[in-house]
Amino acid sequence: MRYGYWLPVFGGWLRNVEDEGMQASWAYVQRLARRSEELGYDLTLIAELFLNDIKGIQAPALDAWSTAAALAAVTQRLELMVAVRPTFHHPATLAKQAATIDQISNGRLSLNVVSSWWKDEARRYGSTFDEHDDRYARTAEWLHVLKSAWSEPSTTFQGKYYTVDELVVQPRPLASWNRPHPALYAGGESDTAKELIASRCDAYVMHGDPAERVAPKILEMRLRREKAGLPPMQYGVAAYTIVRNTPAEAQRELERITTVTPGSPGYGNFQDWIANTKLEQTLSVQDYSVSNRGLRTGLVGTPEQVADRIRELQNVGVDLLLLQCSPQLEEMERFAAQVMPLVESRARVAA
């Protein structure tokens, strides 16, 4: 199992707690990233929204790509998975920017390709907003240009959404026998999304769910991947984690963070997301209290209980956890000290 975490570029993850003790600041995120390497975390996901989806649109939010470039220079081994939305980034210029950051990081960049869902943000930033299937058609062209720019001496392409003529990107990202280009992660629950991801990306990342719901999703994507004649993918799951000494303590913390009302900051954004995505499940207000259905993964309880849930996910094919917690640094310290060793020891016993 690889352990990743969401970089708190929004100053936290809780919609009902105003100050979580982690500012949306360079000082905090660089301290967190450096410490996470020492603790044994493998990856950080740097989300991209120009407005703050968690604390409300007037609250500060760090830009993903400038933050990633800075982190590339001050970390040593952490994989930097940076979210990118095709509607906001032309594939030619993004290919150039990403290649440069990959060079700075010595080959540690990866991309989380996100087909934009926030209509109001697009309006405020003057960007195009495509409806669901059009977003994925755009993303397919975007990925074609990006991958060609990273692998071919010159790229010429004319499509519905993008046109490039004799595009050259040098230097390219660092490449090796098992990494021809930065890994491409993506998530989505519609047939359109899954077909695109299976045929064009390297890893499938899922909203939070327990192992019994994750297993058939992985099986489906494996079958799609085999049909496309491509090598196996990686599989990641979002999870919000609460680790406490007793189940009662964990339950009290869960109750504290899920008392969200329709008047909470960002609740309207939640409605916008629901309206512009095609999800397999209906979401509750509790699901909304933390992003990406993280609580449904079930990493709430004692260290032993959480380690058991992780082993269940591992057994059905999950190889990456994308963790959120609050406050991020303190809870990641606890998770690394109390849960990671248990998962490792139980894996050795099982072997």
Side-chain angles (χ1 to χ4, degrees):
M1 181 67 73
R2 293 197 303 152
Y3 295 98
Y5 63 93
W6 297 64
L7 198 72
V9 294
F10 307 119
W13 306 114
L14 305 178
R15 302 179 194 272
N16 69 330
V17 178
E18 184 175 351
D19 183 3
E20 299 179 56
M22 44 177 167
Q23 290 184 331
S25 68
W26 166 244
Y28 184 83
V29 297
Q30 64 90 17
R31 176 181 168 225
L32 176 65
R34 285 172 164 175
R35 179 58 178 154
S36 73
E37 290 189 317
E38 297 171 353
L39 293 171
Y41 290 88
D42 302 289
L43 175 153
T44 186
L45 167 54
I46 308 172
E48 181 185 58
L49 288 175
F50 297 133
L51 297 175
N52 195 319
D53 174 45
I54 306 296
K55 302 298 184 183
I57 64 173
Q58 300 301 326
L62 298 180
D63 170 68
W65 281 88
S66 51
T67 299
L71 286 178
V74 300
T75 54
Q76 299 299 317
R77 66 170 195 82
L78 195 67
E79 181 180 335
L80 304 172
M81 185 207 294
V82 193
V84 57
R85 297 173 296 168
T87 50
F88 288 100
H89 300 272
H90 193 283
T93 52
L94 193 282
K96 180 69 174 180
Q97 292 166 338
T100 299
I101 295 175
D102 193 64
Q103 290 279 339
I104 293 169
S105 70
N106 195 30
R108 292 184 288 118
L109 183 74
S110 58
L111 272 60
N112 176 29
V113 183
V114 181
S115 296
S116 305
W117 58 265
W118 196 353
K119 191 172 185 177
D120 187 53
E121 181 202 36
R123 175 185 67 82
R124 290 172 183 271
Y125 272 78
S127 176
T128 299
F129 184 82
D130 299 318
E131 294 305 323
H132 184 273
D133 286 0
D134 289 332
R135 292 204 296 272
Y136 285 97
R138 175 187 293 276
T139 299
E141 285 192 12
W142 191 93
L143 285 168
H144 175 86
V145 174
L146 180 82
K147 294 168 81 170
S148 179
W150 283 346
S151 60
E152 301 297 332
S154 175
T155 296
T156 296
F157 176 82
Q158 183 170 354
K160 177 180 178 181
Y161 302 96
Y162 301 108
T163 298
V164 294
D165 187 22
E166 297 182 347
L167 168 65
V168 175
V169 171
Q170 287 289 353
R172 295 179 188 170
L174 296 180
S176 63
W177 68 270
N178 63 343
R179 183 189 185 264
H181 54 70
L184 300 171
Y185 298 77
E189 296 186 346
S190 68
D191 283 339
T192 302
K194 288 184 282 191
E195 190 62 29
L196 174 68
I197 295 164
S199 61
R200 304 291 182 94
C201 296
D202 307 299
Y204 183 52
V205 288
M206 294 164 274
H207 293 307
D209 267 322
E212 61 267 23
R213 293 196 68 100
V214 169
K217 296 180 183 182
I218 291 178
L219 177 59
E220 178 187 358
M221 291 301 286
R222 283 174 173 166
L223 293 174
R224 288 178 183 265
R225 190 75 169 176
E226 289 173 6
K227 183 178 179 181
L230 295 171
M233 305 182 78
Q234 294 178 289
Y235 297 94
V237 172
Y240 189 95
T241 181
I242 299 173
V243 180
R244 295 295 185 269
N245 292 330
T246 68
E249 290 179 75
Q251 186 61 34
R252 284 196 293 272
E253 174 64 6
L254 178 62
E255 292 171 359
R256 183 184 75 88
I257 71 170
T258 54
T259 54
V260 179
T261 65
S264 300
Y267 186 80
N269 307 340
F270 172 61
Q271 299 300 320
D272 201 351
W273 182 53
I274 294 297
N276 291 296
T277 54
K278 294 183 179 180
L279 301 175
E280 295 173 331
Q281 303 176 58
T282 301
L283 297 191
S284 68
V285 173
Q286 186 182 76
D287 290 318
Y288 160 76
S289 63
V290 302
S291 68
N292 297 89
R293 294 203 310 254
L295 287 170
R296 290 196 186 187
T297 311
L299 304 192
V300 176
T302 66
E304 293 78 11
Q305 289 173 324
V306 172
D308 285 343
R309 298 292 83 73
I310 293 172
R311 290 287 296 141
E312 290 171 1
L313 291 165
Q314 197 170 30
N315 289 340
V316 301
V318 174
D319 46 35
L320 171 65
L321 286 177
L322 294 168
L323 302 174
Q324 293 177 350
C325 42
S326 179
Q328 191 87 17
L329 180 55
E330 291 82 351
E331 292 298 325
M332 282 173 54
E333 294 261 8
R334 188 200 306 261
F335 186 93
Q338 298 183 9
V339 177
M340 287 185 189
L342 281 177
V343 175
E344 181 64 23
S345 65
R346 294 181 185 195
R348 288 197 297 267
V349 170

